[in-house]
Amino acid sequence: MRKAITTATTLLTTAVLLTGCGSGGDGSTSSKSKAPSASSASGAPDPSASGAAGSAAGETHQVTLEVKGSGKGQVLWTAGDNGMDQVDLPWKKQTTVTLKGAELKLGAPLSVVPQAVQDANARFVFPACTITVDGKQVAHNEDEENAKGCTYLLKSTNRP
């Protein structure tokens, strides 16, 4: 039990440090202070979104991050921006992620990592999580022993 909690804490700390250490050139590793990118309702690329200098318009995707369970817990998430929030479970975050610049070629990371919570038997377990992109489930984890949560590399559907 203690090993699982230590592992979860280590993974969360590592993830926070890694998501905060980016080139900063495209703003994808900024803190919660940045609002989600503008997009069209259809999920199609928004012609008004500008990428890096000289690159084509961005490509937008509707992203949903979910964590099941009950009670309170911390959730570390990355989807365009990133954050670590104390939440009531179940939890859901819906946002729009716009791929632009280098992300059009390399992709953009999406993740949701829930902290372990106590179940009805007073065991610490990791809540199930899901990542959905444009209505399609792309990552899911129900393993109560797995501290990794859910991760997915969002790639362009119109690779140049």
Side-chain angles (χ1 to χ4, degrees):
M1 177 98 53
R2 178 174 269 205
K3 183 178 178 182
I5 293 171
T6 303
T7 301
T9 304
T10 302
L11 286 171
L12 286 172
T13 303
T14 302
V16 168
L17 291 173
L18 289 176
T19 57
C21 297
S23 65
D26 62 4
S28 65
T29 58
S30 67
S31 186
K32 294 186 331 182
S33 62
K34 187 176 177 186
S37 304
S39 70
S40 66
S42 68
D46 182 355
S48 66
S50 60
S55 68
E59 178 181 309
T60 61
H61 297 275
Q62 300 302 316
V63 175
T64 303
L65 308 173
E66 291 184 80
V67 177
K68 305 290 184 199
S70 61
K72 289 188 179 283
Q74 283 191 324
V75 175
L76 173 67
W77 56 270
T78 301
D81 0 333
N82 57 61
M84 183 176 215
D85 299 323
Q86 182 75 24
V87 300
D88 290 319
L89 299 177
W91 173 85
K92 180 188 270 190
K93 177 173 182 62
Q94 295 177 308
T95 189
T96 300
V97 174
T98 301
L99 300 177
K100 55 189 173 191
E103 292 173 333
L104 288 167
K105 286 186 178 183
L106 303 174
L110 304 176
S111 68
V112 59
V113 181
Q115 170 192 24
V117 295
Q118 278 190 320
D119 69 3
N121 298 321
R123 293 183 313 136
F124 280 94
V125 297
F126 294 97
C129 59
T130 303
I131 298 175
T132 305
V133 176
D134 298 329
K136 180 182 175 191
Q137 182 176 299
V138 295
H140 183 69
N141 180 7
E142 284 193 31
D143 182 2
E144 294 179 341
E145 302 291 322
N146 188 340
K148 288 184 177 182
C150 294
T151 60
Y152 180 73
L153 183 61
L154 177 60
K155 293 190 174 184
S156 173
T157 56
N158 301 318
R159 292 190 71 178

